[in-house]
Structure formats: C-alpha cells, structure tokens
Amino acid sequence: MTVGEKQPETGTGTPPEVLDGPFSTRQLLRIDEALRLADNGTGLVFSVFVGRLDEPIREHAQRLHRQLAEPDRSVLIAVSPNQRKLEIVTGRQARKRIPDTYAKLAALSMVASFGGGDLAGGIIQGLDQLASHAGRP
C-alpha cells in the first residue's frame, strides 16, 4: 500500500510519516485488508496513493502507476483529499477486466463517501467494487 511519496528513513528514531497521515491505525489495517482481498481475489495488484498530486493530475497518477512493480497488472487509486481529486489508473491487463466505465462507477461511489467525510471507507468501498468487477483470474 502506498500512502505517500516519502518513505520513512530508517534509524532516525522518528515514527513513520504514515502515522501522521489522515488515517487511524484501525483505518490503515482495514485498507490493508481490502488491498489484500482485492489482490488475492483477482490476481491483479491494487495500490492506493493518498497525498498531493502535481498538475496535471492525471499525468502524475500515471507516472505513479508506471513506478509500480507490475504496472500492466496493476490498479492505482490516487486520492488527493486537499485538492479534492481522485484518479484510478489501470494497467494494460487490468483494463481488460476493469473497463473505464466500471472504474468511473467505483469513482462515483468513492466520491460520495469522501463527500460524507469517510476517506478510508470510500477507498475500501472503491477497492471492493473494482475487485468485484475484475472477478477471478
């Protein structure tokens, strides 16, 4: 799971930056479980990025997606709460199983949750919907 662009430095004695993010430990565990279920249930690789996205937003999300270990099989949900932006990027193989229409439906559902103040719940719901549409390999 990707939560931000910076990786915690080892040996500095400071807690990982993720602990200062928008999620509680419980929410992080729920998101991690949703990612695991989506990966195992579909054979695809799901990732989440929460943080600032540079303009143009879509291009930044695509750059992040290309940096993943298996971009062809990957689905990236990139969320910038402060900018009120959401992008879902699918790799070549993933797109065959999750067409843009289904990604847009999942995005609409996520945005509704975000609007109600439930960032973690929206991400979890989006992961579940995307995985359901992708189905088993």
Side-chain angles (χ1 to χ4, degrees), residues 24-36:
S24 68
T25 301
R26 184 173 184 271
Q27 289 171 322
L28 285 172
L29 290 171
R30 289 179 54 221
I31 292 169
D32 187 55
E33 176 70 4
L35 284 163
R36 188 185 62 73

Side-chain angles (χ1 to χ4, degrees), residues 6-135:
K6 295 182 182 176
Q7 296 295 320
E9 294 180 26
T10 57
T12 62
T14 58
E17 189 174 298
V18 69
L19 297 178
D20 296 329
F23 303 114
S24 68
T25 301
R26 184 173 184 271
Q27 289 171 322
L28 285 172
L29 290 171
R30 289 179 54 221
I31 292 169
D32 187 55
E33 176 70 4
L35 284 163
R36 188 185 62 73
L37 290 172
D39 288 356
N40 291 343
T42 64
L44 298 174
V45 181
F46 288 80
S47 297
V48 174
F49 172 87
V50 177
R52 178 162 178 70
L53 294 165
D54 298 330
E55 295 288 342
I57 301 293
R58 180 71 182 174
E59 288 180 20
H60 186 188
Q62 289 171 330
R63 278 194 314 274
L64 291 171
H65 182 266
R66 284 191 300 270
Q67 293 173 6
L68 297 173
E70 299 180 70
D72 282 346
R73 292 185 40 233
S74 295
V75 178
L76 172 68
I77 297 173
V79 182
S80 178
N82 293 338
Q83 294 169 288
R84 302 178 65 92
K85 299 291 183 182
L86 166 67
E87 289 289 339
I88 298 174
V89 183
T90 53
R92 192 179 76 244
Q93 293 175 17
R95 192 172 307 114
K96 292 176 185 175
R97 296 175 49 200
I98 305 173
D100 288 347
T101 304
Y102 291 119
K104 288 177 185 177
L105 289 172
L108 287 173
S109 176
M110 293 171 70
V111 167
S113 291
F114 298 163
D118 190 3
L119 183 60
I123 291 169
I124 292 164
Q125 185 174 11
L127 286 165
D128 181 60
Q129 287 182 334
L130 292 167
S132 293
H133 289 303

